[in-house]
Amino acid sequence: MQLYNSLSHKKEEFVPRFGNRVSMYTCGPTVYHYAHIGNLRSYIMEDVLEKYLRFIGYDVKRVMNITDVGHLTSDGDTGDDKMLKGAKREHKTVMEIAEFYTGAFFEDCRKLNIKTPDAVVPATSCIDEFIRVISSLLEKGFAYQAGGNIYFDTSKLDKYYVFNDFKEEDLAVGVRDGVENDENKRNKADFVLWFTRSKFDDQELKWDSPWGVGYPGWHIECSCISMQNLGEYLDIHCGGIDNAFPHHTNEIAQSEAYLGHEWCNYWFHVHHLNTNSGKMSKSSGEFLTVSLLEEKGYLPVVYRFFCLLSHYRKSLVFSWENLDNAAGAYSKLTAKIAPLTKETAGEIDRDEYNRLMNVFKDALDSDLNTSLAITALYDVLKSDANAVTKLALIKEFDRVLGLDLIENAEKSDNTEESVPQEVLELAEERKAARKDKNFALADELRDKIASLGYEVRETRQGTVLTKK
Ligand code: AMP
Ligand code: ZN
């Protein structure tokens, strides 16, 4: 499989370090609010990657952290702790907030067919491990104590900005707009491993440490949770593109300083879901969640389908119109699959099966090209293969795509085959009339459809025809 590796800035053949075993780490959510559908785009694409690696025979172990402490409102070392902000907003304790939004996150994942990783580890359960690794970084001379906090010393590394040839002045956290300069830092890019003295005296969660009562920085948690659960060598690390700097850059710095050797071979970054007005965020603009999509009548898997229609390395613009288009296409797709589910006669044609399976695999082998994989699905439907072969292929593809294709096809009433042509044509005319805002004609056509024994409804998923 060819995968784009952010570390080498090119597509590479994916080769795990230890034979068939793949260790995979994913930055989990900061559980101070619901996940927005932008966050979930990242998790959907990472899920497809995991499922495809399993599909082609790898034995994958995937670990995810839950950020329930240490992630400040800037991705660097300034601002409020996001968890504390969430707790204040809802007049609850930090742990109550964490528990509630962790549950909400996995509920969203369930609806979107995102598999729960093999290990899910809250940062607050690993404080001793963070302290152990920070102590070792101090001993090795990669960290220093200043103004009460423990900082990582980026000047001790041969190369710090690993992902891009960033200009230090452009990216250093200390000089970003609105970010205060921390006088304690020896170098602009240094970052906090452990806070003891900060201006956030009301920080709710604090732990004893050799350097005083305090709490960990955000970056150290992912390094430690990964190393503790997946060992000294990591095959693939995932996350949204915004995490490449400073979060992942800092993870690499501290992990490799601690281990004394290279740590992770492949970095998989998912580009952003944007709205017309810019990047989607939890604090500005319309807060788009899975529940909101459901309230508006969309199936959550339609959002997954929408994501799979685009490549993970392109930013994707969300609009209701774009989602409507995906909903219509999904509905037509399941309607095409529906008649296949009723045909059981015949045997799988192995040659056709292998040929069409290879088209699907070629698509995903090519840097996880999910939109080509969906085209491969249409190729199956268009092919001359018999129904049993087609259905077997669709079932297999859906183990990776996770679109509930068979399940929703079975539920689909508006199969092109079962609804008489006359009714389908009337429904099309009615749709056009509604588009032209000719509601009198639309009503007339609805009555005609009713007289032929069908009820017609327009939903987000398209036109639904049900037998009365
Ligand atoms: P957070 O809950 O803020 O820690 O983010 C969880 C994941 O969502 C991280 O991997 C982020 O990089 C990713 N992410 C944040 N915003 C977006 C977005 N608009 N589109 C895609 N992924 C995002
Ligand atoms: Zn992380």
Side-chain angles (χ1 to χ4, degrees):
M1 180 188 196
Q2 292 272 316
L3 263 188
Y4 182 85
N5 186 355
S6 309
L7 208 54
S8 60
H9 319 292
K10 57 177 197 279
K11 282 188 208 166
E12 286 175 30
E13 186 64 26
F14 176 71
V15 186
R17 201 181 285 262
F18 300 114
N20 200 36
R21 289 199 335 256
V22 173
S23 54
M24 183 172 180
Y25 184 83
T26 299
C27 289
T30 310
V31 284
Y32 71 114
H33 215 319
Y34 292 106
H36 59 58
I37 59 173
N39 302 129
L40 292 161
R41 178 192 191 199
S42 288
Y43 295 113
I44 288 170
M45 303 317 285
E46 293 162 5
D47 180 67
V48 175
L49 175 63
E50 176 188 348
K51 285 180 177 154
Y52 186 61
L53 290 171
R54 289 182 193 273
F55 189 78
I56 54 178
Y58 289 115
D59 179 8
V60 182
K61 181 171 179 194
R62 179 159 171 217
V63 175
M64 179 195 270
N65 67 307
I66 296 288
T67 300
D68 52 2
V69 69
H71 192 176
L72 307 185
T73 46
S74 96
D75 279 344
D77 300 324
T78 57
D80 290 324
D81 181 323
K82 289 187 179 180
M83 292 304 299
L84 193 59
K85 210 174 144 195
K88 280 185 184 158
R89 183 187 65 231
E90 299 186 19
H91 308 289
K92 294 201 176 120
T93 64
V94 165
M95 287 327 275
E96 282 167 347
I97 289 288
E99 195 183 331
F100 179 80
Y101 288 112
T102 302
F105 173 74
F106 284 111
E107 183 58 18
D108 286 345
C109 287
R110 191 187 59 72
K111 289 176 183 166
L112 292 166
N113 288 335
I114 299 169
K115 179 184 165 295
T116 304
D118 303 293
V120 175
V121 186
T124 49
S125 70
C126 301
I127 303 295
D128 290 348
E129 182 63 9
F130 305 156
I131 292 174
R132 199 180 64 73
V133 172
I134 296 168
S135 305
S136 162
L137 288 171
L138 278 163
E139 265 169 44
K140 292 183 164 110
F142 283 103
Y144 58 92
Q145 191 162 8
N149 296 333
I150 309 295
Y151 294 87
F152 186 90
D153 187 347
T154 51
S155 71
K156 294 280 155 64
L157 302 171
D158 295 336
K159 190 163 166 50
Y160 170 65
Y161 296 110
V162 283
F163 287 118
N164 259 311
D165 299 321
F166 296 131
K167 276 210 210 107
E168 196 169 332
E169 315 81 82
D170 293 346
L171 282 173
V173 175
V175 294
R176 277 187 180 177
D177 279 353
V179 176
E180 291 161 34
N181 215 355
D182 181 343
E183 297 294 326
N184 296 317
K185 290 186 184 182
R186 290 184 192 163
N187 313 287
K188 275 183 292 191
D190 290 357
F191 54 92
V192 177
L193 297 166
W194 186 268
F195 291 94
T196 55
R197 280 248 305 259
S198 75
K199 56 186 176 165
F200 328 116
D201 286 338
D202 54 352
Q203 177 69 18
E204 201 179 295
L205 296 178
K206 291 181 194 173
W207 294 264
D208 214 357
S209 83
W211 321 288
V213 174
Y215 61 100
W218 171 39
H219 315 298
I220 192 71
E221 73 179 65
C222 285
S223 289
C224 290
I225 292 172
S226 171
M227 292 190 284
Q228 199 176 30
N229 290 274
L230 294 166
E232 288 191 15
Y233 293 98
L234 182 61
D235 287 310
I236 186 158
H237 194 309
C238 313
I241 189 71
D242 58 317
N243 279 347
F245 183 85
H247 184 51
H248 293 160
T249 305
N250 292 350
E251 277 188 48
I252 294 173
Q254 62 206 358
S255 301
E256 296 192 350
Y258 169 75
L259 292 167
H261 59 69
E262 284 185 356
W263 172 50
C264 175
N265 277 346
Y266 299 87
W267 287 82
F268 176 88
H269 286 122
V270 181
H271 286 240
H272 276 156
L273 181 77
N274 296 319
T275 59
N276 288 324
S277 54
K279 187 193 151 192
M280 190 164 294
S281 88
K282 296 182 194 183
S283 50
S284 64
E286 199 176 7
F287 191 175
L288 297 167
T289 58
V290 171
S291 315
L292 182 72
L293 299 190
E294 284 182 297
E295 273 165 37
K296 289 187 183 269
Y298 296 95
L299 291 173
V301 284
V302 161
Y303 176 65
R304 185 171 170 117
F305 184 61
F306 169 79
C307 289
L308 298 197
L309 291 171
S310 296
H311 194 251
Y312 75 92
R313 271 193 311 115
K314 290 206 175 97
S315 53
L316 175 61
V317 174
F318 177 84
S319 70
W320 294 109
E321 198 188 344
N322 292 348
L323 190 63
D324 279 340
N325 289 337
Y330 181 81
S331 160
K332 283 201 182 121
L333 183 60
T334 50
K336 284 209 173 83
I337 296 169
L340 302 175
T341 62
K342 296 183 188 84
E343 285 187 45
T344 48
E347 277 184 17
I348 293 181
D349 174 344
R350 281 290 151 198
D351 288 344
E352 260 313 72
Y353 183 95
N354 291 339
R355 184 183 71 79
L356 291 158
M357 178 59 85
N358 285 339
V359 176
F360 177 74
K361 284 189 181 168
D362 284 348
L364 294 172
D365 281 343
S366 170
D367 195 21
L368 206 74
N369 194 326
T370 48
S371 76
L372 270 185
I374 304 272
T375 308
L377 186 62
Y378 287 108
D379 287 349
V380 169
L381 290 166
K382 275 190 279 177
S383 75
D384 293 329
N386 63 17
V388 179
T389 308
K390 286 183 181 176
L391 199 66
L393 282 160
I394 294 166
K395 263 190 194 156
E396 281 299 288
F397 291 5
D398 213 23
R399 280 175 47 207
V400 179
L401 303 175
L403 294 170
D404 291 342
L405 292 170
I406 309 287
E407 201 182 318
N408 283 325
E410 279 166 351
K411 282 188 204 153
S412 160
D413 286 316
N414 57 345
T415 71
E416 283 160 17
E417 270 76 2
S418 64
V419 180
Q421 191 57 27
E422 189 186 357
V423 175
L424 287 172
E425 279 166 18
L426 288 169
E428 278 303 314
E429 276 178 47
R430 182 172 178 273
K431 203 168 152 190
R434 278 168 58 95
K435 211 171 162 200
D436 295 342
K437 303 214 175 345
N438 187 346
F439 296 111
L441 178 61
D443 285 350
E444 208 179 287
L445 288 163
R446 189 196 49 219
D447 293 344
K448 255 195 199 162
I449 293 169
S451 71
L452 293 168
Y454 283 85
E455 187 191 27
V456 61
R457 272 180 303 127
E458 293 302 328
T459 71
R460 294 283 186 185
Q461 270 67 247
T463 309
V464 175
L465 287 160
T466 8
K467 224 173 180 145
K468 286 207 294 182

